[in-house]
Amino acid sequence: MTITDIDWVDAAGDYMCLHVGGRTHIMRSTMKDLLSKLPSKDFVRIHRSTVVNTQRITSVCSLSKGEFRLQLGADVSLKVSRNYRKNIAPLLS
């Protein structure tokens, strides 16, 4: 597995759940440490505990109260919190 294989990441306490091709791999790390290792041009933080590979986003849907929902393929839908909506602004144009 390489970094570009990662679809999205979510935090679970002191662990990161790396979602890759429908499978989940768990690693012990902090979000801050993991973000420092991921290329910022390909990965964007969309929630306090979620990072997504922008290459996997198939659509962006606007929700109420300034939030968005990202679709990754047919099976994964992730909510973008208001605090991180600025991070996906380049994807909206």
Side-chain angles (χ1 to χ4, degrees):
M1 175 179 72
T2 65
I3 287 177
T4 57
D5 294 330
I6 298 171
D7 300 322
W8 62 287
V9 178
D10 65 324
D14 290 336
Y15 295 90
M16 295 292 115
C17 298
L18 308 174
H19 301 274
V20 181
R23 297 185 58 151
T24 302
H25 305 274
I26 298 173
M27 68 179 282
R28 186 167 175 83
S29 177
T30 63
M31 181 65 79
K32 183 179 179 179
D33 185 48
L34 183 62
L35 281 171
S36 72
K37 296 175 184 173
L38 296 174
S40 60
K41 69 178 183 64
D42 294 324
F43 290 87
V44 63
R45 194 167 186 174
I46 62 165
H47 190 274
R48 186 172 64 98
S49 61
T50 310
V51 175
V52 66
N53 183 341
T54 58
Q55 303 301 311
R56 302 295 192 275
I57 300 170
T58 55
S59 67
V60 179
C61 179
S62 179
L63 302 174
S64 63
K65 300 180 183 176
E67 296 175 330
F68 292 90
R69 182 162 305 281
L70 303 180
Q71 191 67 38
L72 281 63
D75 299 329
V76 179
S77 180
L78 301 171
K79 187 175 171 184
V80 180
S81 72
R82 288 178 299 188
N83 292 338
Y84 291 94
R85 65 182 169 200
K86 68 185 178 304
N87 293 351
I88 65 155
L91 304 174
L92 301 175
S93 54

